[in-house]
Structures are given as C-alpha cells and as structure tokens.
Amino acid sequence: MLLIHCPYCDQTLPEAEFAYAGEAHIARPEDPSQLSDEEWRDFLFIRSNLKGPHFERWRHVHGCARFFNAVRDTVSDRFLLTYRAGEPRPDLSTPEAAQ
Amino acid sequence: MSQFRIPGKGRVKHDEKVTFSFDGRRYEGLRGDTVASALLAHGIHLMGRSFKYHRPRGPVTADSAEPNALIGTSRGAGRFEPNTRATVQELREGLMCESQNRLGALSFDLGAVNDALHPLFPAGFYYKTFMWPRSFWDRLYEPVIRRAAGLGRAPSEVDPDRYASRYLHTDLLVVGGGPAGIAAALEAARAGVRVTLVDETPEMGGSLLSDPEVEIDGQAAWDWLAAALDELRARGVRLMTRTTAIGYYHQNMIGLCEKLTDHLDTLPENAPRERMWRVRATRVVLAQGALEKPLVFHGNDRPGVMLAGAAQSYLHRWGVKVGERAVIVTSHDSAWHAAFDLAEAGTKIVAIVDTRAALADELRAEARVRGIEVLAGHTVTGTRGRLRVASVTVNPVENGRVGDPRMLHCDCLLMSGGWTPSLHLFSHTKGSLQWDEASRTFLPGRMTEDCHIAGAGRGLWGYLDALSDGAEAGAAAARALGHAVEPTGFAVAHDRPGTGESHKELPTDRRSHRVRAFVDFQNDVTAKDLRLAVREGMRSIEHVKRYTTNGMATDQGKMSNINGLMIASDAVGKAPPEVGLTTFRPPYTPTSFGAFAGYKRGATFEVTRATPIDAFAEANGAVFEPVSLWRRAWYFPQGGEDMEAAVARECLATRGGVGIFDASTLGKIEVAGPDAVEFMNRMYTNPWTKLAPGRCRYGVLLGEDGYIRDDGVIGRLSDDLFHVTTTTGGAARVLNMMEDYLQTEWPDLDVWLTSTTEQWATVALNGPKAREVLDGLVEGVDISAEAMPHMSVAECRVAGFRARLFRLSFTGELGFEVNVPARHGLALWEALMEAGKPHGITPYGTETMHVLRAEKGFIIVGQDTDGTVTPDDAGLGWAIGKKKPDFVGKRSLARPDLVAGGRKQLVGLMTEDGAVKLEEGAQIVLDPDQPKPMKMVGHVTSSYRSATLGRSIAMALIEDGRAREGETVHVPMPDGVVRAKVTSTMFYDPDGERLKL
Ligand SMILES: [Zn+2]
C-alpha cells in the first residue's frame, strides 16, 4: 500500500484514504461550444498514458476531501511530489522539485 | 523409543510424548516434533504420492520449501486442511493426518500406472491433449486424468475458526531469525531502535539450531542463541515465531501471517487460528538465508533421497537419524559437514560422492579420520528401491566422459547441489537480481525499498560472515534511523564456511529417454521436460515455465527455479542471466484464505447500512435485498404469499388506496450558498434559475461525455438552498463529481456541498388516499391540491417533527415524500401507519416501487441506462435546458456519435402473450429466422408482471426504437422465440390524470 502526502493536511497517510481522479492539468475549456469535435474529443478522451513521471489528481476522500495534484512515477509507482490544486505544474528538472 | 530417535539429542522434549495418527495408524512422537520428524523417527520416509505420476515420495527438506511431503491435517469438523507440509506441521496431541493424491493405499497406489505411462505425459501434455476432440473431455480428461493428477481434496465444510488482522508500525523489521537476522536485531536494538524480528518456524535460531558444534564469542551455539534472545527480549524487541513474511509491498509494508493455534493440543476458547499483520517498517532487514538445491539425476525423487542440510536438521533439531546407511552426493562443502555429523551420530556413511574433482584438503582429511570413502569427480546415474532408496549407482567422470558404474547400497541418499539465496521477498519489491558467475546464482541487485539484505540471503556462507553481515545490516538500519553505531565483531570457532558448484542435470551414461531426473518435485517436471519445451520452441523462461509447469506448484519453485534455469539456459544455448528468472509472487508460502479474509466474513463481510425504519421491516416480515451497501425491504409477504402475490397486492393497494414506502436510502445532497443556482445550472441539464423556492424539478446529471450518470428530484427551499436527491447507489459518486467541479473547475463559486443522506429519514406515501393520511399530521403548511401542487416542497412539521415535505410521485399516483431528522424516522413511520389504518395503508418494498415506476415509464439509472445512454436515448430530451450556454456534458450532446441515427432508444415492450414475462437482459432481434450469429438490435432492461394492467410489461433499449413503435420484435430464448410489440414506455395513465388529485 502506497503512502501519499496530502498537501492540505500536510500528512503522509495510507493510500486507502485516497482516491485516484485521473490525469492532472486538463482544464475544462472555458466555452466548450467553441471547440471542434476533434478538440472536444481530445479533451474528453485523450490522455498522455506516460511511462515515468505522471501528473495526476488524487482526492483525500476519507480525510479532508480535497482534490490535489501529484507526480507519480508509473514505473516505480512512487510519488515524487504532491501539490495543491490550482498550483502550476512543477518543473521536474529543478533540484527543488527533484527532492 | 522410536528406532531412529537418538536419546537425549535435539531440541525436542524427550520426556513429553505426543500421539498422532497418519493414514489411520497411531504413532508416538515428541513435543517439538513436526509430522515429518516424528514419522522419520519411526523410519517412515514414504509420506505421499507425486502430483502427476503418483510416484512414491518422502520429505526432501526439513522446512517450508518442502515439495513432496504434503498431507491433509484435521482436528475435527470443519478443521481439515489439505496440502500442509509435513515438515512444517508441528505435532499436537490427537493430530489426524493423511497422505494425499493416492488411489488406494499409499504403499500400493493404483494411480502409479501414470508413472509407467510417463511417455504419454510429456511437457505441454495438457496443451497438446486439449487439441483432441471434445468427447474426450467428458469421458477421459475430466473423470480420469483430473482425478489422477492433483493435490489434496478441498475442505467441504465451513471453517469454524476465526482469523484476526492487525496493523503494526515498527522502526525496523528483521525477517528471518537465523544468525544474520539475530545479529541485525541485536545491533539495532542496542542502538535504541524499535525492532521486530520474525521467523516462520516455532523457534528462533535458523541454521544455528542445526549446527550446535559452532561456537560464538566463546559460547556453544545454542547457549549464545539463548543469551542473544534473552538480550533481545530485555531490550524490548518484539519476537514473533510461527510468523511468515508472506509479501513485501510498497514502501516497506510487509504482510505477516502468524499461526497461533495449529500447534496447540486444545483450542483456546475464541482464539484466532491465524493473524494477518500489516506491518509498516521504516527499515527492513531481509535475513532469509539460502535454500539448498537438489541435484538432478535419474531417480532423485525416491523416498530416502533428501537434501543433506535437511538430514543435518533432523539430526540436531529433532534428534532423528534419517537412515542407517547414507550415501552423500554433493557439489558443495556443506554436505560434508552433514556427513560428519551423521557419522558421529552412528549413521554409516557409505561414501561421499562429490561432483568436483578438486576438493579441500581439510575435508578430505576429516573424511579420512572418520574412515569415510571419498569419490571425487563422480556423478550419480541412478537409484533403486521401490518405496525407499536401496542403492545408488555412481560413476567417475573424466573429461566429460562417464566411466563405469559402481553400485552403493544405502537406505538414504543425501544430496546437495549448493545453496540459492532466498530472494522471494526482495523480488516482490521489484528489486533487480544480478547473476553472480562465480557462485552461479542470482544475488540481490538494485534496491527499490529502504531495505538491507544480510547473510546467506546475499550469497555469504559461514557463521562469521553471516553474523558480521547481519550486524552491519542492523547498524546500517540504525544509522539510517538516525542512531550512531559501529557494529560489534564476532569470534567464531568451528565455523563451517564452504563453497560449491552449480550444475544442470548431472552427466549420465543412460540413454536420454530413460532418464527420470526431477527438477520440480511437486509438479513432476523432469530435466527432459524442460529440454523438450525448448526443442518445441519455448525460448523465454516464462514460456518454459508455463509449458512445463516448472516452478508453478505451491512451493513456487523454491528448490527448482535455479536448476530449471541452468537446464533451460543450456538447452537454449544462452547464459543464465540472458534467459532470466521467473517472477516470485506473494505469498512466500501457501497462506490460508481465512488469514486473508480476516474479520471480513459472514455478517462482517462488509458494512450493512440499515435505515431508521429497518426495525419495522424486520418486525413485519419483510424480505430484504441488498442495494449498494443498504439492506432494503424488498416486499412484505403476508400469510403464505410468494413474491409475485405480495408485489401484486402491494401494487393494487397503492394504486387503489395508499401505500407507504421507506425511501430513506435516497441519496441527499444539500447545495447551499449565494452561487448555488449557478452551480446547479452548470451541473444538471435542467434550467434552475426560474425554479421558485418551494418548487421542485426532476433533474438529470450527465457525465462530460454526454451520458446519463444520475437523476433525482431536486427541491429549491430558498434562493440559495437546494435539496438534491440522487439514486441510492449514486449518492457518493454524485457528491464526488460535484466536489470535483466545485474544487477544481469553479473554485470561484461560493457554494457548499453537504451529504445529508443519513441525516434524513424519508417516507413516501403514494396513492389516491395519500393526502387524507397526511392531512391531520401536517402543521405549518396547507397541503391541499391548490396550495401545494405536484412538484412542490415545503418546510413544516409532520407528526410533530420538523420536516421537509415534498409533493412528487415516482408511481404516477398522488404522492408525498416526508423527510424528518433520521432519529424520528421510525416514529414518523408509525404515526403514518396509524393515521393510514382507516385507509388500509399498505407498506410496500423496492420490488413494488420498481413495478409502479415501470408502469409509468420512469427510468432507473443503471438499470434502464448503462453509461452509454443519452437523455434523448432515454426519452428525456425534454429535461435539457436548451437555452443554457453550458452544463456538464452539453458539448458532448453534439458529438457526431451522439447525434447519428441508429442509437438505441428506450421503448416499451408488450409480449403478444401477456402471460409471458420477458427476461431482463434478453437480447432482441428483428428477424428470428436469420442465420446465426443473429444481429442483435437491443436488449430488455426492465420486465415485470403488472397487476394493475393484468399482464407483463417491459422496457428495452432498441436501435431506432421510437421509430419502431407498433412493430413486432423477437426475443430468442432457450425454449423458443418470444414475440413482442414495441410501445411507448408510458403503460399506465399516459396523460397523468391521477396526479391531478
Ligand atoms: Zn487531506
């Protein structure tokens, strides 16, 4: 069972308290009606499905109930970092992020 | 005294006899015995028959890696367990055990005909024979071969034992209580680390228990061991024996299975049989030691053929000689020490046969002192003896040529093919393995977890090295935990270091088709099978494994993996690391289902949610059905009514008078705040701005993909407060979805969401008499038709309780839903029952609710929809706020697929014969005479007998269904095709006259 750091509670807690919520940084378009069928399809269905660091959303569903973002390595299944919803996508190449 | 027990020797209690039975015969053993050691003390090696060939087999190990000596154990009704390793099962008074997989007596097994027919059972036998005709399945494979090949019989009774589960947090978990593990625990505990030390056996000590001659720090091994364990206890180390680390999971979570009662003479009241521990350790030391490998030669599976290390353990731990005349066959120094110890104990060592030509001088000298013949550079080419080895044939090997045979008479053959580090747990972590060419074995490579591996588990040999390495691992763990520590050193006398060689199958002078050299004893896989698999095209070790089943038995190839790899890599012509090792998976040893289930069985299998009115249903004979985690009253049979009769009565009573229904399980979400109406507009398809406080509306919730996710009636209580209801099963999902949008897409909206499902008890009253029942109980609001029209909501008091009163209908009748605080639910129900008595009020359950709603064509999300149904498909196009610029899923309703023709639409179906009820899920075709496979145009989603209409009704999703209204479709069923007419879903009161009361 993984351990996950909730950036709101600032605690590292067992995976069983959390729920996965899909890839992160896919904002719902401001005005969906302006999108072409292809653009809307991509928003709905196309995901990066990365091997390696993956930006994804989790919810501390059995805790503070907040949604937050995480970077998880899909090869090692390790969480590299977690951060609050709305914060910019971290640059993994910086040493602070690598910590 | 048993013939093969050495008085006073071993760690068993010679003054405490324990009786047990094996295959119906009573035997005496000693406290501390395993079934295997007790039987061996009586000279019994034959303990089972092999899986495929029914070959006679005896124990080959003294530990949990045992592939052969599998028995069924029992201590009375329900407490039968098959496939228990006799080498692990401790004796207890009255233990009943039986051998397995035999047809007839163990000594004369009818199934042994399989062995004579072995050319018929080559590698890939099952894959090949499955190609044969179907009829062979019924007459040959299933009844004969399946029965003849197998393990023990499955238990047939409910397990009466309890199983517990616990969590444990520890700074350092040490797996393995041998010298390395104890040294690690000592070092870390001395540094102040909280340590847990576990071992799968009943006693800490590991190999020290089998090597009492060794001296550590001036003390005899067993004295040092006792002192070390005392110190660990004194330092607060948690020592757990009979506790197997079964799996190593992410971030140092280790599963431990602790056996608590299998060794006890009598069962303590209410004690759990096993306890599963979920351990989270900051650091882990794996000190699991190494597993001895067999040598692969013709007849290496005969009873009496055993690992040399096992014989040494039987001698020192249990005081049992495994035979009177032993031949040693080895490629490793360790077996020499076993030979010397056995010689001391009085077993005649006929010869030490070593595959190596060059041998250590000290070993030769010690053999000479004891008068033991040494045959260096020799191979074994066969054994004889029907139920027990009686002789072994050995031949010299020079320059790869096998010389003339020589027969050695013996009653046991002790072999050693060297040692394999036990890397199962390490492999669970996806740590990489590195091939070590010098020792020809895999060693731990890159770590993925915060763990250390110590001792024989990383290829070290000898007590000094194991102890020092364990101490270093303990110190490293302590340092990682922030403690300053320098590992202490050890002084070891009479150490037994050694080296060895690894082999593929031993060279032989036999014709290859006559060689039966076993690699996997438990699955009866021979070296020849492995080579055949490679010849037939298997190249990957994973394919070879599956084709031959090598390493796939319950021992997971503990003994066979490396030998199998050596042979397969030789056959493929590649180096072993290029062929690779198969994956080890948890659990390390077979683990009972009970241990995994823990408390989650029977009534505590999962949570049962009961409504505040559950007690009434219980007391009034309701039949219940599970709905998500709720238990809901399904129907209320009276007299001897069956379900159909009860539902018909409940339906008619509701439509004719008044029915009462517990709707408390409905999901309820309070949407509150200045932006509540904007939030509702964005979430649901319907427009909400113009819905006045005091009114309610049927709302439809889509996913962003445009498909229906949920529905429910939503009341507006004030400008900034909505009472949202959801489906029973959808409550948590809907709240999650709302929170998701609110938190991450529209954090600017000032809205609060609160689940109130369990705060309100909800009672539905339906039927023309509903208002009359309610009238005298309502205060604070006028519920007349004029003052409170259909689809209204009011806050008032009902039966004296604060209430939210909805006028709505899921039945097509005049209907009210009364919500009161949950603690008053039962009192409200009883007040309504009392008030309804003069009107013949009738409680109804979920089945009647389903029938009544179907008669009106109201959908159940998840039954009439399946996640690919749009509002238009379901006939709910009217519920879409077409003028709203956006809502969740709106853009998708214009997706090409969703506006294209040919979509499945929800329609009604009436069978031509109203007495025939369609089956839910049945497929629908347009032409029943078309060739198979027929084109299926849809399926039945709901189907009931309608007492109101006096016939069956159904709903179905059918391609372009609405355009087919009036057409006949066909539903092919096993006993004939049912004809049905496509209709509207509105079967009853299509104009809604009955709501106008
Ligand atoms: Zn949290």
Side-chain angles (χ1 to χ4, degrees):
Chain A
M1 188 182 303
L2 297 170
L3 293 171
I4 302 175
H5 182 83
C6 173
Y8 293 98
C9 298
D10 196 20
Q11 286 193 53
T12 301
L13 298 159
E15 185 187 347
E17 293 193 16
F18 297 83
Y20 182 67
E23 188 168 352
H25 300 293
I26 298 175
R28 187 173 191 271
E30 277 295 314
D31 184 357
S33 69
Q34 295 302 304
L35 266 62
S36 68
D37 284 341
E38 289 70 28
E39 288 166 331
W40 184 248
R41 173 202 63 199
D42 290 354
F43 162 72
L44 280 182
F45 302 122
I46 305 302
R47 295 295 178 265
S48 57
N49 194 26
L50 283 175
K51 181 178 181 181
H54 183 246
F55 292 80
E56 59 195 27
R57 305 186 322 132
W58 285 77
R59 186 181 183 205
H60 191 190
V61 63
H62 299 298
C64 65
R66 302 295 298 266
F67 284 85
F68 60 88
N69 292 329
V71 189
R72 184 179 54 99
D73 188 324
T74 57
V75 178
S76 66
D77 210 6
R78 285 301 180 117
F79 280 81
L80 305 181
L81 56 111
T82 58
Y83 53 102
R84 296 178 173 209
E87 288 180 9
R89 175 195 287 257
D91 178 0
L92 292 182
S93 60
T94 64
E96 306 86 73
Q99 290 248 307
Chain B
M1 181 54 61
S2 317
Q3 188 190 347
F4 291 87
R5 184 87 65 182
I6 305 166
K9 197 162 176 73
R11 298 181 70 86
V12 286
K13 293 186 177 159
H14 287 266
D15 51 359
E16 201 178 331
K17 308 271 186 267
V18 181
T19 53
F20 69 106
S21 69
F22 177 64
D23 283 345
R25 260 195 73 177
R26 282 167 56 82
Y27 295 93
E28 208 166 67
L30 300 179
R31 182 70 65 197
D33 261 330
T34 62
V35 171
S37 68
L39 288 173
L40 288 170
H42 289 276
I44 296 170
H45 276 254
L46 176 63
M47 295 189 196
R49 288 278 174 169
S50 73
F51 178 72
K52 194 157 71 169
Y53 301 124
H54 290 245
R55 286 167 71 93
R57 292 279 170 84
V60 66
T61 74
D63 56 38
S64 67
E66 177 58 36
N68 281 346
L70 303 182
I71 55 172
T73 64
S74 172
R75 76 186 320 159
R79 292 192 166 93
F80 172 79
E81 185 179 78
N83 307 329
T84 301
R85 285 143 295 158
T87 51
V88 169
Q89 176 65 52
E90 293 170 68
L91 273 203
R92 60 175 183 245
E93 188 61 39
L95 168 69
M96 292 174 277
C97 41
E98 63 180 37
S99 58
Q100 300 185 158
N101 197 34
R102 58 187 159 81
L103 305 172
L106 182 56
S107 58
F108 186 79
D109 179 354
L110 297 171
V113 66
N114 283 10
D115 194 34
L117 297 176
H118 73 89
L120 292 179
F121 297 87
F125 165 75
Y126 285 97
Y127 298 106
K128 288 165 184 164
T129 45
F130 287 175
M131 310 290 280
W132 288 1
R134 157 90 207 179
S135 59
F136 278 67
W137 260 108
D138 305 329
R139 278 183 266 132
L140 181 64
Y141 304 145
E142 284 295 344
V144 181
I145 294 174
R146 284 270 181 206
R147 187 156 51 91
L151 294 169
R153 62 189 167 89
S156 55
E157 293 160 306
V158 173
D159 183 348
D161 277 315
R162 298 195 317 123
Y163 296 83
S165 62
R166 289 273 293 275
Y167 285 89
L168 178 69
H169 293 266
T170 188
D171 290 342
L172 172 63
L173 174 70
V174 181
V175 179
I182 289 173
L186 274 175
E187 204 60 48
R190 285 172 186 161
V193 174
R194 274 192 312 160
V195 182
T196 304
L197 172 63
V198 302
D199 194 277
E200 61 175 342
T201 71
E203 207 180 355
M204 294 286 177
S207 56
L208 284 175
L209 301 173
S210 306
D211 257 340
E213 310 303 319
V214 175
E215 278 179 32
I216 303 168
D217 292 341
Q219 286 179 291
W222 290 0
D223 295 335
W224 181 87
L225 174 62
L229 294 175
D230 281 346
E231 180 180 346
L232 290 176
R233 272 183 221 104
R235 291 186 183 277
V237 172
R238 182 191 281 266
L239 299 174
M240 299 172 72
T241 53
R242 299 188 180 92
T243 303
T244 305
I246 58 166
Y248 194 146
Y249 306 92
H250 280 293
Q251 288 171 286
N252 275 359
M253 171 163 274
I254 285 92
L256 304 178
C257 183
E258 182 182 20
K259 287 186 186 292
L260 297 162
T261 61
D262 277 4
H263 64 291
L264 299 176
D265 291 348
T266 51
L267 282 176
E269 200 71 29
N270 288 324
R273 178 176 175 231
E274 292 174 7
R275 184 180 289 130
M276 185 72 91
W277 294 83
R278 290 165 178 81
V279 181
R280 187 74 75 172
T282 316
R283 310 292 300 187
V284 171
V285 170
L286 295 178
Q288 294 182 276
L291 298 163
E292 195 168 19
K293 283 176 294 185
L295 288 165
V296 181
F297 54 86
H298 178 71
N300 62 344
D301 65 326
R302 225 175 276 284
V305 181
M306 181 184 283
L307 292 168
Q312 190 179 333
S313 290
Y314 285 118
L315 177 66
H316 291 300
R317 288 188 71 163
W318 293 285
V320 172
K321 283 190 293 183
V322 296
E324 302 288 9
R325 292 175 59 84
V327 172
I328 315 294
V329 188
T330 185
S331 65
H332 195 279
D333 296 346
S334 64
W336 290 66
H337 297 293
F340 300 154
D341 288 0
L342 280 159
E344 302 277 332
T347 293
K348 162 77 182 161
I349 305 298
V350 178
I352 296 177
V353 182
D354 201 308
T355 62
R356 300 168 294 177
L359 299 171
D361 292 338
E362 313 86 79
L363 294 176
R364 279 186 182 277
E366 285 215 45
R368 198 175 310 119
V369 169
R370 291 174 170 84
I372 299 172
E373 184 179 9
V374 173
L375 298 169
H378 272 62
T379 186
V380 182
T381 55
T383 62
R384 287 194 189 172
R386 193 173 83 82
L387 298 174
R388 173 84 179 262
V389 67
S391 70
V392 48
T393 308
V394 300
N395 313 50
V397 181
E398 258 177 274
N399 305 320
R401 251 188 54 84
V402 176
D404 292 337
R406 179 178 153 196
M407 189 181 283
L408 305 171
H409 291 281
C410 61
D411 64 358
C412 61
L413 173 55
L414 309 179
M415 60 182 168
S416 180
W419 298 77
T420 306
S422 180
L423 291 170
H424 293 64
L425 286 188
F426 177 69
S427 296
H428 297 173
T429 69
K430 293 189 188 157
S432 65
L433 301 178
Q434 263 173 2
W435 178 254
D436 182 62
E437 188 53 37
S439 58
R440 296 188 72 73
T441 194
F442 283 102
L443 297 179
R446 190 181 48 82
M447 312 255 180
T448 62
E449 296 285 346
D450 294 331
C451 83
H452 314 262
I453 302 184
R458 63 183 196 94
L460 299 176
W461 200 249
Y463 286 96
L464 180 61
D465 282 3
L467 288 162
S468 308
D469 198 47
E472 179 45 56
R479 280 194 292 269
L481 290 161
H483 302 267
V485 55
E486 275 308 313
T488 41
F490 294 88
V492 176
H494 309 297
D495 200 356
R496 289 178 158 183
T499 59
E501 276 183 1
S502 281
H503 291 287
K504 51 187 200 293
E505 65 269 54
L506 294 183
T508 184
D509 55 355
R510 280 181 169 252
R511 306 249 302 274
S512 70
H513 71 274
R514 300 207 43 202
V515 176
R516 314 284 305 282
F518 286 86
V519 178
D520 183 329
F521 290 72
Q522 203 181 353
N523 266 352
D524 268 349
V525 181
T526 64
K528 192 175 60 180
D529 292 330
L530 292 166
R531 292 189 181 276
L532 179 66
V534 171
R535 269 208 310 285
E536 293 188 347
M538 309 300 140
R539 286 294 179 276
S540 148
I541 194 68
E542 295 287 354
H543 290 158
V544 171
K545 164 179 163 173
R546 279 156 186 79
Y547 197 63
T548 60
T549 72
N550 192 62
M552 288 173 69
T554 64
D555 63 354
Q556 285 205 48
K558 288 188 179 64
M559 283 173 38
S560 61
N561 267 346
I562 295 292
N563 282 339
L565 171 62
M566 300 299 281
I567 293 163
S569 62
D570 181 64
V572 174
K574 284 184 178 173
E578 290 174 65
V579 178
L581 201 58
T582 53
T583 312
F584 296 111
R585 293 189 176 83
Y588 177 68
T589 47
T591 307
S592 68
F593 283 111
F596 285 107
Y599 305 113
K600 292 186 174 59
R601 55 183 291 194
T604 51
F605 176 67
E606 62 178 4
V607 171
T608 301
R609 302 173 79 184
T611 76
I613 297 150
D614 185 76
F616 172 88
E618 176 85 50
N620 285 271
V623 175
F624 292 94
E625 69 164 340
V627 181
S628 49
L629 290 177
W630 294 97
R631 72 165 206 162
R632 300 194 71 181
W634 195 9
Y635 56 96
F636 290 85
Q638 288 186 1
E641 276 179 340
D642 62 5
M643 175 162 157
E644 198 176 316
V647 170
R649 176 182 48 74
E650 292 170 13
C651 285
L652 293 174
T654 302
R655 294 225 185 276
V658 58
I660 183 169
F661 175 67
D662 179 7
S664 302
T665 65
L666 270 181
K668 303 167 204 82
I669 299 166
E670 197 130 309
V671 179
D675 295 322
V677 70
E678 175 61 19
F679 180 76
M680 290 300 296
N681 278 332
R682 295 187 195 184
M683 288 305 302
Y684 280 78
T685 62
N686 321 63
W688 301 95
T689 309
K690 288 183 180 162
L691 184 73
R695 301 287 294 169
C696 42
R697 179 166 285 166
Y698 170 74
V700 177
L701 181 72
L702 306 183
E704 203 67 90
D705 54 12
Y707 298 129
I708 297 172
R709 289 291 195 282
D710 204 79
D711 68 350
V713 171
I714 295 162
R716 188 170 192 177
L717 293 160
S718 65
D719 280 342
D720 55 6
L721 182 59
F722 288 82
H723 179 116
V724 174
T725 68
T726 73
T727 57
T728 292
R733 244 185 349 255
V734 172
L735 182 62
N736 187 69
M737 182 174 164
M738 287 181 171
E739 282 285 355
D740 193 350
Y741 277 91
L742 184 59
Q743 289 183 33
T744 68
E745 298 293 351
W746 310 317
D748 52 313
L749 291 186
D750 194 356
V751 175
W752 293 88
L753 304 171
T754 309
S755 165
T756 54
T757 302
E758 279 152 332
Q759 275 59 45
W760 297 108
T762 307
V763 181
L765 282 177
N766 279 275
K769 300 272 179 62
R771 188 182 287 115
E772 288 166 55
V773 174
L774 210 49
D775 230 355
L777 296 173
V778 176
E779 297 167 70
V781 69
D782 178 359
I783 61 167
S784 67
E786 302 72 38
M788 191 171 193
H790 184 55
M791 298 306 265
S792 301
V793 59
E795 292 189 277
C796 59
R797 297 190 88 81
V798 178
F801 306 118
R802 183 171 66 85
R804 283 182 184 172
L805 176 63
F806 286 75
R807 182 176 166 194
L808 57 82
S809 176
F810 197 43
T811 61
E813 302 298 330
L814 171 65
F816 294 90
E817 277 182 15
V818 190
N819 295 270
V820 297
R823 64 186 180 280
H824 301 310
L826 190 56
L828 170 74
W829 178 277
E830 281 161 355
L832 291 169
M833 285 298 292
E834 187 61 32
K837 216 181 250 172
H839 306 286
I841 193 167
T842 300
Y844 65 90
T846 50
E847 188 65 17
T848 291
M849 178 268 283
H850 276 120
V851 176
L852 296 174
R853 65 89 201 176
E855 288 168 350
K856 290 292 295 176
F858 296 141
I859 66 164
I860 300 268
V861 172
Q863 177 169 345
D864 302 299
T865 71
D866 62 2
T868 66
V869 175
T870 67
D872 184 66
D873 297 342
L876 298 173
W878 56 267
I880 290 170
K882 300 201 174 50
K883 289 184 194 145
K884 290 203 294 181
D886 191 17
F887 55 80
V888 173
K890 179 178 166 70
R891 173 64 184 84
S892 282
L893 297 180
R895 279 165 54 195
D897 287 3
L898 272 56
V899 296
R903 291 197 60 81
K904 288 181 181 168
Q905 296 169 330
L906 193 69
V907 293
L909 277 188
M910 301 251 254
T911 49
E912 283 192 353
D913 177 356
V916 173
K917 183 172 83 87
L918 291 168
E919 229 172 85
E920 289 176 357
Q923 296 292 322
I924 296 162
V925 302
L926 296 179
D927 171 13
D929 300 321
Q930 63 186 300
K932 292 174 190 170
M934 298 189 186
K935 175 168 169 48
M936 295 172 283
V937 296
H939 70 276
V940 178
T941 61
S942 291
S943 179
Y944 308 96
R945 290 194 195 283
S946 163
T948 310
L949 301 170
R951 55 155 300 129
S952 71
I953 56 167
M955 291 200 269
L957 282 165
I958 297 180
E959 269 179 35
D960 294 320
R962 287 199 291 273
R964 297 187 196 279
E965 217 172 293
E967 287 180 22
T968 296
V969 293
H970 301 84
V971 184
M973 298 301 292
D975 49 357
V977 176
V978 182
R979 292 163 59 86
K981 188 182 275 184
V982 179
T983 67
S984 150
T985 56
M986 205 81 87
F987 297 100
Y988 179 68
D989 186 27
D991 299 323
E993 294 298 327
R994 300 184 65 81
L995 290 173
K996 295 177 185 164
L997 284 171

